Amino acid sequence: MRKKVTVVGAGNVGATVAHRLADKQLADLVVIDILEGVPQGKALDLLESGPIEGYDVRIKGTNDYADTANSDVVVMTAGFPRKPGMSRDDLLKKNYDVVKGTIEKVAKVSPEAILIIVTNPLDAMAQTALKVSCFSKNRVIGMAGVLDTARYRTFIAEALNVSVQNVQGFVLGGHGDTMVPVPRYTTVAGIPVGELMPKEKLDAIIDRTRKGGAEIVNYLKTGSAFYAPSAAVVEMIEAIFNDRKKILPCTAYLEGE
Ligand code: APR
């Protein structure tokens, strides 16, 4: 039986998550939004891509939380993205209300789901989702580290002119200026990155990684990144559904671990 994924928020991140999940045939999809017509239209458009792309997952757009019932995974992307000059924390009040309200509704009808939170400010919204859902802490995960690590790996691969697949790294800490790309755990085809580039160059990459989200916001002006964030969400879902035991950096609630 196919799994079921609900994507809350049919905006840039949500619609792109749905697109990527459909392409990989990972689950039947429900896309829900507060806007009437938008999730329906985008879901239908995605569904109609199926004969061309060769997928036959079901995709439904809706404004009714009953349609999201018994989801295996719920991806929370509802809320507001930042604009140039805003930090992720500037979104706190507005997005707290959105996340609280929507998580209450999805948690009620999908009590066994795993929640993947994307809405910013990520760490605070993940904790909000944990509190509001009353789910166990291992079922409420924030998407941050996979994205931050992807940015870090991209910049290193570009600087060394090697495949991104050869670059392994870890970005820990919060999803913001406090994030910590860890050079000690960064290798290129097994070689510590410190042996391959001067410290100043690596420091510049670490700084660019920290500001990676803002770099995109400054280009887009009206919104924030969505291709890499959606790819990160899909990597997490694929790891969960295939029980890959992958080690992916995520936001999680810890009690002394
Ligand atoms: N219920 C359901 N959907 C909502 C609600 C709500 N209460 N409030 C807002 N939304 C929807 C909007 O209607 C919109 O379609 O959330 C969607 C957000 O989409 P975008 O504005 O395109 O934002 P996006 O780029 O997808 O970012 C969403 O993810 O990466 C984070 O910082 C980003 O917090 C932002 C979130």
Side-chain angles (χ1 to χ4, degrees), residues 41-235:
K42 291 191 180 180
L44 182 60
D45 196 9
L46 277 174
L47 188 71
E48 290 167 355
S49 319
I52 304 164
E53 293 292 335
Y55 58 73
D56 49 21
V57 294
R58 279 181 287 167
I59 309 170
K60 184 178 173 82
T62 186
N63 308 110
D64 181 357
Y65 281 85
D67 291 322
T68 71
N70 302 317
S71 293
D72 297 288
V73 165
V74 174
V75 183
M76 170 55 56
T77 77
F80 300 90
R82 47 184 174 149
K83 303 226 166 76
M86 287 174 86
S87 82
R88 294 184 178 94
D89 290 338
D90 292 332
L91 300 167
L92 182 64
K93 178 71 187 84
K94 271 166 111 178
N95 283 354
Y96 172 80
D97 292 337
V98 171
V99 170
K100 181 172 180 291
T102 50
I103 289 287
E104 271 167 3
K105 291 180 203 143
V106 282
K108 201 184 271 179
V109 293
S110 294
E112 304 298 327
I114 291 174
L115 307 178
I116 298 181
I117 312 304
V118 184
T119 307
N120 277 310
L122 190 271
D123 305 277
M125 294 304 103
Q127 183 154 9
T128 301
L130 178 71
K131 288 255 154 78
V132 171
S133 65
C134 298
F135 284 6
S136 56
K137 63 182 180 176
N138 58 326
R139 287 199 288 126
V140 184
I141 311 166
M143 187 291 294
V146 178
L147 168 63
D148 298 329
T149 303
R151 288 181 173 145
Y152 182 51
R153 290 171 60 200
T154 303
F155 303 149
I156 289 172
E158 202 174 36
L160 294 174
N161 194 25
V162 298
S163 164
V164 288
Q165 292 183 19
N166 286 130
V167 182
Q168 296 299 324
F170 246 130
V171 179
L172 302 174
H175 188 49
D177 296 338
T178 58
M179 74 177 73
V180 189
V182 193
R184 206 151 48 93
Y185 297 143
T186 307
T187 58
V188 180
I191 302 164
V193 71
E195 295 178 18
L196 299 171
M197 68 170 78
K199 184 175 178 310
E200 308 74 62
K201 196 162 187 179
L202 189 56
D203 284 347
I205 287 177
I206 288 173
D207 188 53
R208 189 177 175 196
T209 302
R210 285 207 177 101
K211 297 173 184 153
E215 186 177 358
I216 308 260
V217 172
N218 288 336
Y219 280 125
L220 295 182
K221 307 242 170 8
T222 55
S224 51
F226 52 98
Y227 291 118
S230 61
V233 170
V234 172
E235 182 179 24

Side-chain angles (χ1 to χ4, degrees), residues 10 31-45 61-63:
V31 183
I32 186 161
D33 201 286
I34 199 165
L35 298 175
E36 282 175 29
V38 172
Q40 289 86 347
K42 291 191 180 180
L44 182 60
D45 196 9
T62 186
N63 308 110

